[in-house]
Amino acid sequence: MIIRISIALMVFAVSVFIVHGSTGTDKYNMTEAEKKLSTDLIKLLEATKYQSSTETVVNSDGSDLVYVYVYLYKGNNTSNIEPLVQEITDWDKENSVAVARVSINELETLASLKEVKNIRTVIPPVVNNGSAATEENVSGNHSAEENNYLGDGNWIKLIGIVLFTGMVFKRRIKRT
């Protein structure tokens, strides 16, 4: 019975994926320049292409600039990309990475340069600190997660082992 339910759920999941397709853009029908862009930048480009000419995609500061990492092939410098970017805010010469503000309309042109390896959106780091991460509760005990001996995620393995053992014993019982 469990096996039949598992198979039915698997068939359902695969059929939903086939009917609705993947959630991303079609990577087989992309230009070489689009393949160099991160998914969020491709979606931003698509949004600007489908908007009317009177509307523009703007950031909160009122510009159509995006903040990106431009990865160049080794040995290239920023002189190749300077005409296409609004501002280069940082340059890592050792890794050939430029941090720049680029107009959305120039992204594809920038990505089409042979010196450009790929372009990714700059995402600010997340720092998790504060009282919730370090304080003990009032009674002096740690939280329930810290006291749980399976708090590191091994509970998932335990559930799998228990289910597998149950299936094996069920099969042995049916055979006898």
Side-chain angles (χ1 to χ4, degrees), residues 24-150:
T25 56
D26 185 9
K27 66 180 179 180
Y28 299 108
N29 292 328
M30 290 182 169
T31 65
E32 287 301 314
E34 289 173 333
K35 289 179 183 178
K36 294 180 182 180
L37 297 171
S38 61
T39 305
D40 59 328
L41 292 174
I42 292 172
K43 289 181 180 184
L44 184 61
L45 278 174
E46 289 173 354
T48 59
K49 287 179 184 177
Y50 294 120
Q51 286 184 336
S52 68
S53 60
T54 59
E55 297 180 53
T56 58
V57 174
V58 292
N59 292 333
S60 58
D61 62 356
S63 67
D64 70 339
L65 300 177
V66 288
Y67 201 39
V68 294
Y69 293 114
V70 181
Y71 294 86
L72 303 173
Y73 287 103
K74 294 284 183 192
N76 291 301
N77 59 27
T78 58
S79 64
N80 299 322
I81 64 170
E82 283 175 356
L84 297 172
V85 300
Q86 182 75 21
E87 168 188 20
I88 296 177
T89 59
D90 203 3
W91 169 243
D92 181 357
K93 186 176 183 177
E94 184 178 320
N95 296 310
S96 299
V97 178
V99 183
R101 295 188 193 282
V102 182
S103 171
I104 296 168
N105 300 327
E106 295 292 332
L107 280 172
E108 269 190 282
T109 308
L110 181 62
S112 67
L113 295 175
K114 65 179 185 205
E115 295 86 6
V116 175
K117 188 187 301 184
N118 60 39
I119 301 172
R120 303 286 178 250
T121 307
V122 173
I123 300 173
V126 176
V127 178
N128 294 324
N129 62 6
S131 60
T134 59
E135 269 186 28
E136 295 180 3
N137 63 19
V138 178
S139 65
N141 296 331
H142 294 287
S143 67
E145 288 181 16
E146 292 173 1
N147 291 332
N148 184 355
Y149 69 96
L150 297 175

